[in-house]
Amino acid sequence: MSEGCSHDCGNCSSKCAKADFLVAQNELSDVRRVIGVVSGKGGVGKSLVTSLLAVDALRDGKRVAVLDADITGPSIPRAFGVHDRAMGMDGGRFILPVTTREGIEMMSLNLLIDDETKPVIWRGPILAETVKQFWRDVAWGDIDVMFVDMPPGTGDVPLTVFQSLPLDGIIVVTSPQELVGMIVAKAVSMAKMMDIPVLGLVENFSYYECPDCGKRTEIFGKSRVEEVAKKFGIPRTARLPIRPDLASVVDEGMIEHADEKIAALLHGIADPLK
Protein backbone atom coordinates (compact mmCIF):
# COMPACT_ATOMS: atom_id res chain seq x y z
CA MET A 1 0.00 0.00 0.00
CA SER A 2 1.48 3.33 -1.02
CA GLU A 3 1.86 6.28 1.36
CA GLY A 4 -1.14 8.56 1.41
CA CYS A 5 -3.45 5.88 0.02
CA SER A 6 -7.01 7.18 -0.20
CA HIS A 7 -8.51 3.67 -0.50
CA ASP A 8 -10.15 4.87 -3.73
CA CYS A 9 -9.26 1.82 -5.78
CA GLY A 10 -11.36 2.94 -8.73
CA ASN A 11 -9.00 5.82 -9.48
CA CYS A 12 -5.70 4.22 -8.54
CA SER A 13 -3.11 2.64 -10.80
CA SER A 14 -1.20 0.96 -7.97
CA LYS A 15 -1.44 -2.77 -7.41
CA CYS A 16 -1.78 -3.04 -3.64
CA ALA A 17 -1.67 -6.35 -1.86
CA LYS A 18 -5.09 -7.19 -0.43
CA ALA A 19 -3.34 -8.32 2.73
CA ASP A 20 -2.49 -4.68 3.44
CA PHE A 21 -6.14 -4.02 4.28
CA LEU A 22 -7.34 -7.32 5.75
CA VAL A 23 -8.67 -7.22 9.30
CA ALA A 24 -7.62 -10.22 11.38
CA GLN A 25 -10.08 -12.52 13.11
CA ASN A 26 -10.04 -12.56 16.89
CA GLU A 27 -8.99 -15.59 18.94
CA LEU A 28 -12.63 -16.54 19.59
CA SER A 29 -13.49 -16.86 15.89
CA ASP A 30 -12.68 -19.47 13.28
CA VAL A 31 -14.59 -18.56 10.12
CA ARG A 32 -13.38 -20.78 7.30
CA ARG A 33 -15.27 -19.36 4.28
CA VAL A 34 -16.69 -15.89 3.69
CA ILE A 35 -19.15 -15.23 0.85
CA GLY A 36 -20.36 -11.74 -0.02
CA VAL A 37 -23.83 -11.20 -1.47
CA VAL A 38 -23.92 -8.08 -3.62
CA SER A 39 -26.10 -6.17 -6.06
CA GLY A 40 -25.56 -3.22 -8.35
CA LYS A 41 -28.83 -1.61 -7.24
CA GLY A 42 -31.32 -1.83 -4.41
CA GLY A 43 -34.68 -3.56 -4.41
CA VAL A 44 -33.63 -6.82 -6.05
CA GLY A 45 -33.99 -9.05 -2.97
CA LYS A 46 -30.35 -9.32 -1.95
CA SER A 47 -31.16 -9.81 1.74
CA LEU A 48 -33.69 -12.50 0.83
CA VAL A 49 -31.05 -14.35 -1.18
CA THR A 50 -28.55 -14.00 1.68
CA SER A 51 -31.08 -15.46 4.09
CA LEU A 52 -31.95 -18.37 1.80
CA LEU A 53 -28.27 -19.14 1.22
CA ALA A 54 -27.75 -19.30 4.97
CA VAL A 55 -30.80 -21.52 5.45
CA ASP A 56 -29.71 -23.88 2.66
CA ALA A 57 -26.19 -24.14 4.11
CA LEU A 58 -27.61 -24.89 7.56
CA ARG A 59 -29.83 -27.62 6.14
CA ASP A 60 -26.71 -29.02 4.48
CA GLY A 61 -25.19 -29.54 7.91
CA LYS A 62 -22.87 -26.55 7.98
CA ARG A 63 -22.24 -24.15 10.85
CA VAL A 64 -23.45 -20.86 9.44
CA ALA A 65 -23.17 -17.15 10.23
CA VAL A 66 -24.62 -14.02 8.66
CA LEU A 67 -22.88 -10.65 8.93
CA ASP A 68 -25.34 -7.90 8.05
CA ALA A 69 -23.13 -5.23 6.44
CA ASP A 70 -26.12 -3.28 5.11
CA ILE A 71 -25.79 -0.89 8.04
CA THR A 72 -28.35 1.70 6.95
CA GLY A 73 -30.91 -0.89 5.85
CA PRO A 74 -30.45 -3.92 8.11
CA SER A 75 -33.26 -6.32 7.26
CA ILE A 76 -31.62 -9.67 8.05
CA PRO A 77 -32.82 -9.85 11.70
CA ARG A 78 -36.41 -9.32 10.65
CA ALA A 79 -36.30 -12.18 8.14
CA PHE A 80 -35.14 -14.52 10.92
CA GLY A 81 -37.44 -13.08 13.58
CA VAL A 82 -34.48 -12.01 15.72
CA HIS A 83 -35.07 -9.03 18.00
CA ASP A 84 -32.78 -9.80 20.94
CA ARG A 85 -30.00 -7.38 21.81
CA ALA A 86 -26.44 -8.55 21.23
CA MET A 87 -24.44 -8.72 24.46
CA GLY A 88 -20.83 -7.97 25.29
CA MET A 89 -18.34 -10.25 27.01
CA ASP A 90 -14.91 -10.02 28.59
CA GLY A 91 -15.55 -6.52 29.82
CA GLY A 92 -16.84 -5.36 26.46
CA ARG A 93 -13.81 -6.59 24.55
CA PHE A 94 -15.96 -8.89 22.43
CA ILE A 95 -19.55 -8.91 21.17
CA LEU A 96 -21.58 -12.10 21.23
CA PRO A 97 -23.60 -12.80 18.07
CA VAL A 98 -27.29 -13.53 18.41
CA THR A 99 -28.33 -17.07 17.52
CA THR A 100 -31.45 -17.74 15.44
CA ARG A 101 -34.03 -20.39 16.33
CA GLU A 102 -32.28 -23.00 14.19
CA GLY A 103 -28.71 -22.09 15.12
CA ILE A 104 -27.42 -19.48 12.64
CA GLU A 105 -25.08 -16.94 14.24
CA MET A 106 -25.94 -13.34 13.34
CA MET A 107 -24.71 -9.80 13.81
CA SER A 108 -26.52 -6.69 12.62
CA LEU A 109 -26.71 -3.08 13.73
CA ASN A 110 -30.38 -3.66 14.58
CA LEU A 111 -29.17 -6.01 17.33
CA LEU A 112 -27.22 -3.20 18.97
CA ILE A 113 -29.65 -0.28 19.00
CA ASP A 114 -32.60 0.41 21.29
CA ASP A 115 -35.15 1.04 18.53
CA GLU A 116 -34.73 -0.92 15.31
CA THR A 117 -37.02 1.53 13.46
CA LYS A 118 -34.71 4.52 14.00
CA PRO A 119 -32.74 5.58 10.91
CA VAL A 120 -28.96 5.31 10.93
CA ILE A 121 -27.66 8.72 9.84
CA TRP A 122 -23.92 8.09 9.70
CA ARG A 123 -21.23 9.10 7.25
CA GLY A 124 -19.29 6.58 5.21
CA PRO A 125 -16.21 6.17 7.44
CA ILE A 126 -18.34 5.32 10.49
CA LEU A 127 -20.37 2.81 8.48
CA ALA A 128 -17.19 1.20 7.19
CA GLU A 129 -15.63 0.99 10.66
CA THR A 130 -18.80 -0.67 11.98
CA VAL A 131 -18.46 -3.44 9.40
CA LYS A 132 -14.83 -3.98 10.44
CA GLN A 133 -15.94 -4.17 14.06
CA PHE A 134 -18.53 -6.83 13.21
CA TRP A 135 -15.70 -8.95 11.79
CA ARG A 136 -12.97 -8.06 14.28
CA ASP A 137 -14.82 -7.82 17.61
CA VAL A 138 -17.63 -10.38 17.35
CA ALA A 139 -16.91 -13.77 18.93
CA TRP A 140 -18.19 -15.81 15.99
CA GLY A 141 -16.94 -19.17 17.22
CA ASP A 142 -16.51 -22.14 14.90
CA ILE A 143 -18.13 -21.30 11.54
CA ASP A 144 -17.99 -23.23 8.26
CA VAL A 145 -19.41 -20.46 6.10
CA MET A 146 -20.34 -16.83 6.69
CA PHE A 147 -22.60 -14.89 4.33
CA VAL A 148 -22.15 -11.11 4.24
CA ASP A 149 -25.22 -9.12 3.23
CA MET A 150 -23.75 -6.02 1.59
CA PRO A 151 -25.46 -2.72 0.73
CA PRO A 152 -26.13 -2.16 -2.98
CA GLY A 153 -23.70 -0.33 -5.21
CA THR A 154 -19.97 0.24 -5.02
CA GLY A 155 -19.63 2.77 -2.18
CA ASP A 156 -17.71 2.88 1.09
CA VAL A 157 -19.19 -0.18 2.77
CA PRO A 158 -18.91 -2.61 -0.17
CA LEU A 159 -15.34 -1.42 -0.69
CA THR A 160 -14.60 -2.01 3.00
CA VAL A 161 -15.96 -5.56 2.80
CA PHE A 162 -13.93 -6.29 -0.33
CA GLN A 163 -10.74 -4.93 1.23
CA SER A 164 -11.05 -5.85 4.89
CA LEU A 165 -12.72 -9.28 4.97
CA PRO A 166 -11.11 -12.42 3.51
CA LEU A 167 -13.81 -12.99 0.89
CA ASP A 168 -13.66 -16.34 -0.87
CA GLY A 169 -16.08 -15.06 -3.49
CA ILE A 170 -19.26 -13.13 -4.13
CA ILE A 171 -22.73 -13.91 -5.41
CA VAL A 172 -24.42 -11.22 -7.49
CA VAL A 173 -28.18 -10.74 -7.18
CA THR A 174 -30.21 -9.08 -9.91
CA SER A 175 -33.67 -8.93 -11.47
CA PRO A 176 -34.84 -9.42 -15.07
CA GLN A 177 -35.10 -5.74 -16.09
CA GLU A 178 -33.40 -4.40 -19.23
CA LEU A 179 -30.62 -2.64 -17.32
CA VAL A 180 -29.54 -5.89 -15.72
CA GLY A 181 -26.43 -6.17 -17.92
CA MET A 182 -25.13 -2.75 -16.94
CA ILE A 183 -25.96 -3.26 -13.26
CA VAL A 184 -24.27 -6.65 -13.11
CA ALA A 185 -21.27 -5.23 -14.95
CA LYS A 186 -20.64 -2.73 -12.15
CA ALA A 187 -20.64 -5.41 -9.45
CA VAL A 188 -18.53 -7.83 -11.49
CA SER A 189 -16.04 -5.13 -12.44
CA MET A 190 -15.59 -4.15 -8.81
CA ALA A 191 -14.98 -7.78 -7.85
CA LYS A 192 -12.38 -8.18 -10.59
CA MET A 193 -10.62 -4.98 -9.53
CA MET A 194 -10.39 -6.39 -6.00
CA ASP A 195 -9.38 -9.87 -7.25
CA ILE A 196 -12.47 -11.56 -5.77
CA PRO A 197 -14.03 -14.53 -7.63
CA VAL A 198 -17.66 -14.21 -8.76
CA LEU A 199 -19.20 -17.55 -7.80
CA GLY A 200 -22.70 -17.14 -9.17
CA LEU A 201 -25.50 -14.95 -10.48
CA VAL A 202 -28.99 -15.11 -8.95
CA GLU A 203 -31.97 -13.71 -10.85
CA ASN A 204 -34.70 -12.88 -8.35
CA PHE A 205 -38.36 -12.28 -9.34
CA SER A 206 -37.53 -14.41 -12.37
CA TYR A 207 -41.01 -15.85 -12.95
CA TYR A 208 -44.36 -16.62 -11.37
CA GLU A 209 -45.48 -20.24 -11.34
CA CYS A 210 -49.21 -20.87 -11.20
CA PRO A 211 -49.94 -23.08 -8.18
CA ASP A 212 -52.80 -24.80 -10.03
CA CYS A 213 -51.42 -25.58 -13.48
CA GLY A 214 -47.68 -25.02 -13.01
CA LYS A 215 -47.42 -22.59 -15.93
CA ARG A 216 -44.56 -20.10 -15.60
CA THR A 217 -45.05 -16.45 -16.49
CA GLU A 218 -42.05 -14.13 -16.73
CA ILE A 219 -43.76 -11.04 -15.33
CA PHE A 220 -40.75 -8.73 -15.51
CA GLY A 221 -39.59 -9.84 -18.93
CA LYS A 222 -37.73 -12.75 -20.43
CA SER A 223 -34.94 -14.16 -18.31
CA ARG A 224 -31.46 -13.18 -19.41
CA VAL A 225 -29.56 -14.74 -16.54
CA GLU A 226 -27.75 -17.35 -18.66
CA GLU A 227 -26.90 -14.77 -21.30
CA VAL A 228 -25.51 -12.30 -18.77
CA ALA A 229 -23.61 -15.00 -16.88
CA LYS A 230 -21.94 -16.14 -20.09
CA LYS A 231 -21.05 -12.56 -21.02
CA PHE A 232 -19.25 -11.96 -17.73
CA GLY A 233 -17.84 -15.47 -17.26
CA ILE A 234 -19.95 -16.27 -14.20
CA PRO A 235 -19.95 -20.07 -13.73
CA ARG A 236 -23.24 -20.66 -11.92
CA THR A 237 -26.75 -19.25 -12.09
CA ALA A 238 -30.04 -19.61 -10.25
CA ARG A 239 -33.56 -18.28 -10.82
CA LEU A 240 -35.87 -17.51 -7.92
CA PRO A 241 -39.62 -17.24 -8.53
CA ILE A 242 -42.11 -14.72 -7.21
CA ARG A 243 -43.74 -16.51 -4.27
CA PRO A 244 -46.33 -14.82 -2.01
CA ASP A 245 -45.71 -17.46 0.65
CA LEU A 246 -42.01 -16.59 0.64
CA ALA A 247 -42.83 -12.95 1.28
CA SER A 248 -45.03 -14.06 4.16
CA VAL A 249 -42.35 -16.12 5.92
CA VAL A 250 -39.96 -13.16 5.68
CA ASP A 251 -42.54 -10.76 7.13
CA GLU A 252 -43.25 -13.23 9.92
CA GLY A 253 -39.55 -13.75 10.69
CA MET A 254 -39.76 -17.41 9.71
CA ILE A 255 -37.30 -17.61 6.80
CA GLU A 256 -35.76 -20.73 8.38
CA HIS A 257 -39.08 -22.47 7.68
CA ALA A 258 -39.07 -21.49 4.00
CA ASP A 259 -40.08 -24.13 1.46
CA GLU A 260 -37.15 -26.51 1.06
CA LYS A 261 -37.58 -26.44 -2.72
CA ILE A 262 -37.02 -22.67 -2.77
CA ALA A 263 -33.81 -22.73 -0.72
CA ALA A 264 -32.63 -25.72 -2.74
CA LEU A 265 -32.73 -23.60 -5.91
CA LEU A 266 -29.60 -21.89 -4.56
CA HIS A 267 -27.90 -25.11 -3.52
CA GLY A 268 -24.28 -25.25 -4.65
CA ILE A 269 -24.09 -21.71 -6.01
CA ALA A 270 -21.73 -20.66 -3.18
CA ASP A 271 -19.44 -23.67 -3.53
CA PRO A 272 -15.74 -23.01 -4.18
CA LEU A 273 -14.65 -22.69 -7.79
CA LYS A 274 -12.59 -25.60 -9.10
Side-chain angles (χ1 to χ4, degrees), residues 117-240:
T117 66
K118 286 185 178 179
V120 177
I121 308 174
W122 294 350
R123 294 191 183 276
I126 300 177
L127 298 174
E129 184 58 34
T130 301
V131 172
K132 292 180 185 179
Q133 185 179 15
F134 284 175
W135 172 257
R136 180 186 62 230
D137 297 342
V138 173
W140 289 106
D142 194 18
I143 298 296
D144 294 317
V145 57
M146 170 186 284
F147 295 98
V148 182
D149 185 31
M150 296 163 59
T154 55
D156 284 344
V157 174
L159 179 59
T160 296
V161 175
F162 275 106
Q163 289 182 323
S164 302
L165 273 61
L167 288 179
D168 294 283
I170 66 166
I171 294 171
V172 181
V173 183
T174 188
S175 56
Q177 279 83 354
E178 284 299 316
L179 291 178
V180 65
M182 180 192 72
I183 293 166
V184 172
K186 290 179 182 293
V188 172
S189 295
M190 184 176 185
K192 288 183 177 179
M193 289 173 63
M194 306 303 296
D195 197 27
I196 303 295
V198 181
L199 304 178
L201 176 64
V202 177
E203 184 180 72
N204 196 23
F205 314 124
S206 186
Y207 57 88
Y208 173 75
E209 184 172 312
C210 176
D212 297 321
C213 67
K215 179 182 178 180
R216 291 186 176 185
T217 302
E218 295 176 324
I219 295 175
F220 294 111
K222 182 176 175 57
S223 173
R224 296 175 55 202
V225 65
E226 296 294 342
E227 171 192 338
V228 173
K230 183 177 180 180
K231 177 180 178 180
F232 294 109
I234 302 173
R236 306 184 186 107
T237 63
R239 300 176 66 190
L240 289 181

Side-chain angles (χ1 to χ4, degrees), residues 37-87:
V37 184
V38 309
S39 64
K41 63 184 291 291
V44 297
K46 172 182 49 59
S47 296
L48 169 64
V49 171
T50 303
S51 301
L52 289 174
L53 285 166
V55 169
D56 179 65
L58 184 72
R59 291 173 178 172
D60 200 35
K62 295 181 174 63
R63 289 162 291 195
V64 183
V66 178
L67 190 160
D68 188 356
D70 195 352
I71 304 298
T72 60
S75 56
I76 290 292
R78 179 176 179 179
F80 285 87
V82 173
H83 304 287
D84 296 335
R85 292 286 301 279
M87 306 298 291

Side-chain angles (χ1 to χ4, degrees), residues 84-87 95 107-114 130 133-134:
D84 296 335
R85 292 286 301 279
M87 306 298 291
I95 305 170
M107 180 50 59
S108 170
L109 186 66
N110 267 10
L111 306 179
L112 296 172
I113 59 179
D114 293 327
T130 301
Q133 185 179 15
F134 284 175

Side-chain angles (χ1 to χ4, degrees), residues 18-35:
K18 183 173 171 60
D20 290 339
F21 299 101
L22 284 177
V23 175
Q25 291 187 61
N26 59 63
E27 62 267 31
L28 301 181
S29 301
D30 182 16
V31 182
R32 284 178 281 284
R33 294 194 73 229
V34 183
I35 307 297

Side-chain angles (χ1 to χ4, degrees), residues 1-3 5-7 9 12-21 163 193-195:
M1 180 173 63
S2 62
E3 292 184 7
C5 175
S6 67
H7 293 220
C9 300
C12 179
S13 59
S14 300
K15 296 295 184 181
C16 299
K18 183 173 171 60
D20 290 339
F21 299 101
Q163 289 182 323
M193 289 173 63
M194 306 303 296
D195 197 27

